[in-house]
Amino acid sequence: SQTIHQWPATLVQPVGSPLSLECTVEGTSNPNLYWYRQAAGRGLQLLFYSVGIGQISSEVPQNLSASRPQDRQFILSSKKLLLSDSGFYLCAFFAQGRPEQYFGPGTRLTVT
Amino acid sequence: AQSVTQPDIHITVSEGASLELRCNYSYGATPYLFWYVQSPGQGLQLLLKYFSGDTLVQGIKGFEAEFKRSQSSFNLRKPSVHWSDAAEYFCAVGARNTPLVFGKGTRLSVIA
Protein backbone atom coordinates (compact mmCIF):
# COMPACT_ATOMS: atom_id res chain seq x y z
CA SER A 1 0.00 0.00 0.00
CA GLN A 2 1.02 3.61 -0.48
CA THR A 3 2.16 5.61 2.50
CA ILE A 4 3.67 9.02 3.05
CA HIS A 5 5.96 10.07 5.88
CA GLN A 6 7.03 13.45 7.14
CA TRP A 7 9.55 14.44 9.73
CA PRO A 8 10.04 15.94 12.08
CA ALA A 9 6.53 16.12 13.48
CA THR A 10 7.23 19.33 15.37
CA LEU A 11 10.04 21.83 15.19
CA VAL A 12 10.88 25.02 17.05
CA GLN A 13 13.55 27.12 15.40
CA PRO A 14 14.92 30.63 16.02
CA VAL A 15 14.64 33.37 13.43
CA GLY A 16 17.56 33.25 11.01
CA SER A 17 18.24 29.54 11.43
CA PRO A 18 18.13 27.05 8.53
CA LEU A 19 15.30 24.61 7.88
CA SER A 20 15.02 21.16 6.37
CA LEU A 21 11.76 19.22 6.30
CA GLU A 22 11.65 15.83 4.69
CA CYS A 23 8.87 13.89 3.01
CA THR A 24 9.08 10.36 1.63
CA VAL A 25 6.54 8.21 -0.17
CA GLU A 26 6.37 4.43 -0.24
CA GLY A 27 4.47 2.01 -2.42
CA THR A 28 4.42 3.97 -5.65
CA SER A 29 6.91 5.18 -8.21
CA ASN A 30 7.24 8.53 -9.95
CA PRO A 31 4.58 10.27 -7.85
CA ASN A 32 3.74 13.93 -8.19
CA LEU A 33 4.79 15.55 -4.92
CA TYR A 34 3.52 18.71 -3.22
CA TRP A 35 4.35 20.98 -0.30
CA TYR A 36 1.57 23.00 1.31
CA ARG A 37 1.57 25.43 4.21
CA GLN A 38 -1.38 25.94 6.48
CA ALA A 39 -1.33 29.02 8.69
CA ALA A 40 -3.41 29.04 11.85
CA GLY A 41 -7.10 29.18 11.03
CA ARG A 42 -6.49 29.43 7.29
CA GLY A 43 -6.70 27.17 4.31
CA LEU A 44 -4.00 25.40 2.37
CA GLN A 45 -1.40 27.32 0.43
CA LEU A 46 0.44 25.39 -2.29
CA LEU A 47 4.16 26.15 -2.05
CA PHE A 48 5.91 23.76 -4.44
CA TYR A 49 5.21 20.76 -6.58
CA SER A 50 7.34 18.29 -8.46
CA VAL A 51 6.53 15.93 -11.31
CA GLY A 52 9.94 14.23 -11.33
CA ILE A 53 13.46 14.15 -9.92
CA GLY A 54 15.01 17.61 -10.05
CA GLN A 55 11.81 19.19 -11.40
CA ILE A 56 10.42 21.80 -9.02
CA SER A 57 7.67 24.32 -9.63
CA SER A 58 7.21 27.20 -7.23
CA GLU A 59 3.77 28.63 -6.68
CA VAL A 60 4.60 31.43 -4.27
CA PRO A 61 7.83 33.49 -4.17
CA GLN A 62 9.15 33.30 -0.64
CA ASN A 63 11.90 32.44 1.73
CA LEU A 64 11.62 28.71 1.05
CA SER A 65 12.96 26.29 -1.54
CA ALA A 66 12.29 22.68 -2.41
CA SER A 67 14.33 19.84 -3.84
CA ARG A 68 13.65 16.32 -5.04
CA PRO A 69 16.91 14.38 -4.88
CA GLN A 70 15.24 10.98 -5.27
CA ASP A 71 12.07 9.74 -6.91
CA ARG A 72 10.12 9.44 -3.65
CA GLN A 73 11.82 12.09 -1.55
CA PHE A 74 10.81 15.75 -1.34
CA ILE A 75 12.62 18.26 0.84
CA LEU A 76 11.57 21.74 1.93
CA SER A 77 14.37 24.07 2.96
CA SER A 78 15.22 27.55 4.03
CA LYS A 79 18.57 29.22 4.60
CA LYS A 80 17.22 31.75 7.10
CA LEU A 81 13.83 31.37 8.71
CA LEU A 82 11.46 34.28 9.24
CA LEU A 83 8.74 34.58 11.86
CA SER A 84 6.21 34.42 9.04
CA ASP A 85 7.44 30.94 8.12
CA SER A 86 5.65 29.51 11.15
CA GLY A 87 2.83 27.16 10.26
CA PHE A 88 1.78 23.62 9.59
CA TYR A 89 3.56 22.10 6.60
CA LEU A 90 1.94 19.29 4.69
CA CYS A 91 3.43 17.05 2.04
CA ALA A 92 1.13 15.30 -0.42
CA PHE A 93 1.33 13.08 -3.47
CA PHE A 94 -0.63 11.84 -6.42
CA ALA A 95 0.07 8.23 -7.26
CA GLN A 96 0.68 7.71 -10.96
CA GLY A 97 -2.59 7.53 -12.82
CA ARG A 98 -4.68 8.48 -9.81
CA PRO A 99 -6.45 11.86 -9.51
CA GLU A 100 -6.79 11.90 -5.73
CA GLN A 101 -4.15 13.41 -3.49
CA TYR A 102 -2.90 11.84 -0.27
CA PHE A 103 -1.42 13.82 2.58
CA GLY A 104 1.28 13.18 5.13
CA PRO A 105 0.80 13.80 8.86
CA GLY A 106 2.36 17.27 8.71
CA THR A 107 5.12 19.18 10.48
CA ARG A 108 4.30 21.93 12.96
CA LEU A 109 6.98 24.64 12.61
CA THR A 110 7.26 27.43 15.14
CA VAL A 111 9.78 30.17 14.46
CA THR A 112 10.68 32.13 17.58
CA ALA B 1 -10.09 31.06 -12.87
CA GLN B 2 -10.38 27.89 -10.86
CA SER B 3 -11.77 28.37 -7.38
CA VAL B 4 -13.61 26.64 -4.59
CA THR B 5 -15.96 28.39 -2.20
CA GLN B 6 -16.98 27.00 1.14
CA PRO B 7 -19.37 29.70 2.36
CA ASP B 8 -19.58 28.51 5.95
CA ILE B 9 -16.45 29.15 8.01
CA HIS B 10 -17.82 27.50 11.14
CA ILE B 11 -20.87 25.31 11.75
CA THR B 12 -22.14 23.95 15.04
CA VAL B 13 -24.54 21.01 15.15
CA SER B 14 -25.93 18.85 17.89
CA GLU B 15 -24.85 15.26 18.14
CA GLY B 16 -27.32 13.10 16.25
CA ALA B 17 -28.48 15.93 14.01
CA SER B 18 -28.01 15.94 10.25
CA LEU B 19 -25.22 17.85 8.58
CA GLU B 20 -24.70 19.53 5.24
CA LEU B 21 -21.51 21.36 4.33
CA ARG B 22 -21.63 23.46 1.22
CA CYS B 23 -19.11 23.62 -1.59
CA ASN B 24 -19.30 25.56 -4.84
CA TYR B 25 -16.63 25.52 -7.49
CA SER B 26 -15.57 27.29 -10.63
CA TYR B 27 -13.64 25.16 -13.10
CA GLY B 28 -13.05 25.10 -16.84
CA ALA B 29 -14.34 21.58 -17.36
CA THR B 30 -16.07 18.95 -15.30
CA PRO B 31 -13.52 18.45 -12.57
CA TYR B 32 -12.72 15.71 -10.18
CA LEU B 33 -14.23 16.63 -6.81
CA PHE B 34 -13.08 15.73 -3.33
CA TRP B 35 -13.85 16.19 0.33
CA TYR B 36 -11.10 15.94 2.93
CA VAL B 37 -11.27 16.02 6.72
CA GLN B 38 -8.57 17.30 9.06
CA SER B 39 -8.50 16.69 12.79
CA PRO B 40 -6.48 19.17 14.87
CA GLY B 41 -2.75 18.76 14.33
CA GLN B 42 -3.21 16.05 11.72
CA GLY B 43 -2.89 15.72 7.99
CA LEU B 44 -5.84 15.67 5.61
CA GLN B 45 -7.76 12.45 5.13
CA LEU B 46 -9.72 11.76 1.96
CA LEU B 47 -13.41 11.32 2.77
CA LEU B 48 -14.79 10.79 -0.70
CA LYS B 49 -14.29 11.59 -4.35
CA TYR B 50 -16.29 12.08 -7.51
CA PHE B 51 -14.90 11.39 -10.96
CA SER B 52 -17.91 10.54 -13.10
CA GLY B 53 -21.08 8.48 -13.14
CA ASP B 54 -23.54 8.42 -10.26
CA THR B 55 -23.73 11.93 -8.85
CA LEU B 56 -24.29 10.70 -5.30
CA VAL B 57 -21.09 9.29 -3.89
CA GLN B 58 -20.54 7.48 -0.64
CA GLY B 59 -17.46 7.94 1.46
CA ILE B 60 -15.95 6.80 4.69
CA LYS B 61 -17.38 7.46 8.16
CA GLY B 62 -20.95 7.57 6.85
CA PHE B 63 -20.51 10.68 4.71
CA GLU B 64 -21.95 11.22 1.27
CA ALA B 65 -21.81 14.02 -1.27
CA GLU B 66 -23.89 14.98 -4.27
CA PHE B 67 -22.53 16.53 -7.43
CA LYS B 68 -24.92 19.01 -9.04
CA ARG B 69 -23.53 20.20 -12.33
CA SER B 70 -26.19 22.89 -12.85
CA GLN B 71 -25.31 24.47 -9.51
CA SER B 72 -21.55 23.80 -9.65
CA SER B 73 -21.90 22.32 -6.20
CA PHE B 74 -20.61 19.31 -4.33
CA ASN B 75 -22.20 19.41 -0.88
CA LEU B 76 -21.21 17.00 1.86
CA ARG B 77 -23.89 15.37 4.02
CA LYS B 78 -24.22 13.06 6.96
CA PRO B 79 -27.58 11.98 8.38
CA SER B 80 -26.48 11.75 12.01
CA VAL B 81 -23.39 13.51 13.33
CA HIS B 82 -21.18 11.96 15.99
CA TRP B 83 -18.99 13.93 18.40
CA SER B 84 -15.94 12.43 16.69
CA ASP B 85 -16.91 14.22 13.45
CA ALA B 86 -15.76 17.54 14.91
CA ALA B 87 -12.95 18.63 12.59
CA GLU B 88 -12.10 20.89 9.66
CA TYR B 89 -13.54 19.91 6.28
CA PHE B 90 -12.06 20.90 2.95
CA CYS B 91 -13.60 20.69 -0.48
CA ALA B 92 -11.22 20.42 -3.44
CA VAL B 93 -11.40 20.28 -7.23
CA GLY B 94 -8.87 19.30 -9.83
CA ALA B 95 -7.86 17.20 -12.76
CA ARG B 96 -5.49 14.30 -13.16
CA ASN B 97 -1.88 15.18 -12.32
CA THR B 98 -2.60 18.84 -11.62
CA PRO B 99 -2.52 20.46 -8.17
CA LEU B 100 -5.87 20.42 -6.45
CA VAL B 101 -7.61 23.69 -5.69
CA PHE B 102 -8.87 23.76 -2.12
CA GLY B 103 -11.55 25.75 -0.40
CA LYS B 104 -10.68 27.57 2.81
CA GLY B 105 -12.40 24.96 4.92
CA THR B 106 -15.39 24.68 7.23
CA ARG B 107 -14.85 24.01 10.90
CA LEU B 108 -17.45 21.68 12.37
CA SER B 109 -18.22 21.74 16.08
CA VAL B 110 -20.48 19.12 17.63
CA ILE B 111 -22.35 19.80 20.85
CA ALA B 112 -24.10 17.35 23.13
Side-chain angles (χ1 to χ4, degrees):
Chain A
S1 63
Q2 299 159 358
T3 56
I4 178 169
H5 305 278
Q6 285 186 247
W7 63 89
T10 61
L11 192 60
V12 180
Q13 293 283 95
V15 169
S17 64
L19 173 73
S20 181
L21 303 182
E22 189 164 345
C23 170
T24 59
V25 177
E26 296 178 354
T28 186
S29 59
N30 196 28
N32 289 358
L33 296 169
Y34 301 83
W35 278 112
Y36 291 88
R37 177 169 59 202
Q38 191 176 28
R42 299 175 65 178
L44 293 161
Q45 179 186 30
L46 178 62
L47 302 176
F48 301 95
Y49 69 95
S50 171
V51 298
I53 295 174
Q55 300 179 62
I56 308 295
S57 296
S58 174
E59 290 293 304
V60 182
Q62 60 210 323
N63 185 42
L64 302 169
S65 62
S67 61
R68 184 170 178 175
Q70 300 181 45
D71 180 44
R72 288 171 287 181
Q73 184 184 33
F74 204 24
I75 296 173
L76 184 69
S77 304
S78 174
K79 293 181 179 178
K80 290 185 177 182
L81 283 168
L82 306 172
L83 286 174
S84 57
D85 291 324
S86 293
F88 192 53
Y89 288 82
L90 290 159
C91 182
F93 76 99
F94 281 112
Q96 271 301 314
R98 300 299 302 170
E100 64 266 29
Q101 205 167 18
Y102 294 97
F103 284 81
T107 295
R108 171 72 59 192
L109 171 65
T110 303
V111 182
T112 60
Chain B
Q2 303 159 1
S3 66
V4 176
T5 301
Q6 294 181 247
D8 303 306
I9 296 174
H10 183 204
I11 286 180
T12 300
V13 299
S14 299
E15 191 169 16
S18 63
L19 171 70
E20 182 169 27
L21 302 182
R22 295 181 291 165
C23 172
N24 293 95
Y25 67 89
S26 174
Y27 205 79
T30 301
Y32 299 137
L33 296 158
F34 308 88
W35 275 99
Y36 288 84
V37 60
Q38 184 182 32
S39 297
Q42 305 295 315
L44 275 69
Q45 181 184 20
L46 181 64
L47 274 179
L48 48 77
K49 57 196 175 190
Y50 172 78
F51 300 154
S52 64
D54 192 345
T55 56
L56 184 64
V57 294
Q58 303 297 319
I60 62 172
K61 305 185 180 186
F63 285 92
E64 66 177 26
E66 186 172 13
F67 169 56
K68 293 185 177 180
R69 184 190 305 273
S70 61
Q71 299 176 21
S72 297
S73 69
F74 189 56
N75 293 349
L76 181 71
R77 300 196 293 252
K78 186 169 184 177
S80 177
V81 170
H82 188 261
W83 64 267
S84 60
D85 293 324
E88 187 97 18
Y89 291 80
F90 292 92
C91 181
V93 302
R96 194 182 298 272
N97 291 326
T98 61
L100 296 184
V101 177
F102 285 86
K104 294 190 182 301
T106 297
R107 184 162 62 94
L108 173 65
S109 296
V110 181
I111 57 176

